[in-house]
Amino acid sequence: MPAAERVLLRSVTMWLLLQSLLLLLASCLRSAAAFPKGCYPSEEEGLKTFRCSNAQLTEVPRDIPNDTNKLYLDSNRIPFLPRDAFRDLPLLLELDLSHNAIAGVESGAFRGLTDHLHSLDLSSNRLVSLSKDTFSNLKAKVNLSDNPWMCDCRLQELIRTVDLAAGSSGSIVCESSAQEEHVGKAFLQVIADTDFCNVYKKTTDIAMLVTMFGWFAMVISYLVYYVRQNQEDARRHLEYLKSLPSKQRRSEESSTISTVV
């Protein structure tokens, strides 16, 4: 091959390689620009990971790659988890939401994760109370430790529906409770001796009995008043008849009898 042709072929090859590198670099830059500041994808132990730890986030990012296996949103300022927050992550295995400001979780927030999620960390947030349906059908191990829980029937029902992460149950502590002696104690220790839902049921039953008794007393009082009022009216009418002269009284009685007939 002539030297000129070799030089030309080498130049074309170099130009194609340079163009490919530029396209690859542009693609990487576009992908990086699409992610929130402080978030980046990686691969850990063969699993695709997306990290947004300590990224000053105030909501769950929307541009999370849908092939993510492990998602870290810990140490941010997220206050609330809306419905379908993770709907587009069909391969998610681990979700870390610890050390945020989460105080509310909408029903259906974890919808779409029920079959494949293995681990869910909600520790060190601001959770006081959650519906028992929050983790409905979720098979993941859930960490609920270090939250300011209100110990009541609602929490008792929630704990019965969730599979707690190993070693986390002792840190689910009563920040508040209807009974002052429970404050500061581990919830599982408290419910070993106290059935909050049974106490609630008894309170409800008593309230219903008091209400029914109140209505019954009102009805009886009205009937007694009605009978006494009629008796009083009858007595006054008789006294009035007695006070009339004989002829007029007989006429009044006859009129009354006629009216009655």
Side-chain angles (χ1 to χ4, degrees):
M1 181 182 293
E5 290 184 5
R6 287 199 300 272
V7 171
L8 179 61
L9 180 61
R10 188 177 303 152
S11 298
V12 170
T13 304
M14 291 295 293
W15 182 82
L16 289 173
L17 284 173
L18 180 60
Q19 188 178 39
S20 298
L21 287 171
L22 289 173
L23 288 172
L24 181 61
L25 180 61
S27 177
C28 291
L29 289 174
R30 281 197 301 270
S31 298
F35 300 143
K37 184 179 179 181
C39 299
Y40 61 92
S42 64
E43 189 164 325
E44 299 177 6
E45 300 176 352
L47 296 175
K48 292 190 176 181
T49 303
F50 192 72
R51 285 191 175 273
C52 287
S53 303
N54 201 21
Q56 304 299 311
L57 298 176
T58 56
E59 62 180 4
V60 177
R62 297 181 182 179
D63 299 315
I64 301 170
N66 58 14
D67 60 350
T68 297
N69 303 128
K70 299 170 71 175
L71 176 58
Y72 292 89
L73 299 174
D74 56 300
S75 303
N76 285 289
R77 296 180 295 179
I78 300 171
F80 179 73
L81 299 179
R83 182 187 301 272
D84 295 324
F86 309 97
R87 180 183 57 186
D88 298 323
L89 300 173
L91 303 178
L92 194 62
L93 302 175
E94 297 181 19
L95 175 56
D96 189 347
L97 290 160
S98 64
H99 297 277
N100 273 280
I102 299 171
V105 180
E106 190 172 7
S107 179
F110 302 108
R111 187 163 53 186
L113 303 180
T114 55
D115 295 329
H116 46 83
L117 191 68
H118 294 165
S119 172
L120 172 60
D121 194 344
L122 282 165
S123 63
S124 300
N125 276 283
R126 298 178 184 174
L127 296 170
V128 176
S129 183
L130 287 176
S131 166
K132 64 179 180 180
D133 299 324
T134 303
F135 307 111
S136 181
N137 300 319
L138 203 63
K139 298 174 183 177
K141 298 284 186 180
V142 183
N143 188 344
L144 298 173
S145 63
D146 300 318
N147 280 281
W149 292 108
M150 167 67 177
C151 291
D152 57 6
C153 179
R154 190 178 173 90
L155 179 58
Q156 183 171 317
E157 289 182 335
L158 175 72
I159 295 300
R160 286 174 176 171
T161 64
V162 71
D163 188 4
L164 295 175
S168 67
S169 60
S171 296
I172 301 176
V173 176
C174 301
E175 180 78 11
S176 58
S177 175
Q179 301 180 29
E180 191 67 26
E181 65 269 21
H182 297 152
V183 175
K185 294 183 179 179
F187 183 67
L188 293 188
Q189 175 188 347
V190 170
I191 59 174
D193 302 318
T194 304
D195 187 339
F196 286 97
C197 295
N198 190 42
V199 170
Y200 174 77
K201 184 176 182 300
K202 286 181 178 179
T203 303
T204 304
D205 290 344
I206 292 171
M208 289 180 64
L209 286 172
V210 170
T211 303
M212 290 175 64
F213 178 78
W215 280 105
F216 181 73
M218 287 176 63
V219 171
I220 294 299
S221 298
Y222 175 77
L223 289 174
V224 170
Y225 170 80
Y226 179 78
V227 170
R228 287 183 176 177
Q229 190 66 32
N230 284 347
Q231 288 176 341
E232 184 66 21
D233 290 343
R235 185 184 64 78
R236 289 176 181 173
H237 187 64
L238 288 174
E239 289 179 353
Y240 169 72
L241 292 177
K242 289 178 182 179
S243 66
L244 294 176
S246 299
K247 290 183 179 180
Q248 187 176 355
R249 184 169 63 247
R250 281 195 296 271
S251 176
E252 284 280 348
E253 290 175 350
S254 299
S255 177
T256 301
I257 292 171
S258 298
T259 301
V260 172
V261 174

